[in-house]
Amino acid sequence: MGVKLEVFRMTVYLTFPVAMFWIANQAEWFEDYVIQRKRELWPPEKEEQRQELEEFKERIRKQREERLLRAAQQRS
């Protein structure tokens, strides 16, 4: 029984990774499932949302620079 069990285990150990690699590299499956799911979870950004985000980042950057400048002036 020991040899048969070892052969079975070796078959499973070799078959599982090869099967997963083969499935994951199917272009049709990747396009149908992964890309579609990605678009459902993270829809493409709208131009106005991107612009609002850039404006917000710029405001935060200016506030941080002003705060650092005030802190540097107070130390001097």
Side-chain angles (χ1 to χ4, degrees):
M1 174 97 173
V3 173
K4 291 180 182 180
L5 180 62
E6 289 300 320
V7 169
F8 174 74
R9 286 175 55 189
M10 183 68 126
T11 304
V12 171
Y13 291 156
L14 292 175
T15 305
F16 181 74
V18 171
M20 290 298 109
F21 184 77
W22 182 77
I23 291 171
N25 285 308
Q26 297 297 310
E28 298 85 22
W29 178 82
F30 186 82
E31 290 175 357
D32 292 343
Y33 182 74
V34 176
I35 294 176
Q36 180 182 5
R37 185 72 172 149
K38 181 181 174 185
R39 287 184 180 146
E40 289 174 4
L41 293 174
W42 299 286
E45 292 182 359
K46 296 178 180 151
E47 182 62 31
E48 54 192 43
Q49 287 177 337
R50 190 188 59 75
Q51 188 175 8
E52 288 177 12
L53 181 61
E54 292 298 324
E55 291 171 359
F56 177 73
K57 287 180 184 178
E58 186 66 25
R59 271 198 326 258
I60 296 298
R61 186 184 62 77
K62 285 181 181 178
Q63 289 175 357
R64 182 182 299 152
E65 287 178 0
E66 290 172 359
R67 199 171 39 232
L68 289 174
L69 184 61
R70 276 188 262 132
Q73 289 174 350
Q74 289 177 354
R75 280 187 246 151
S76 301

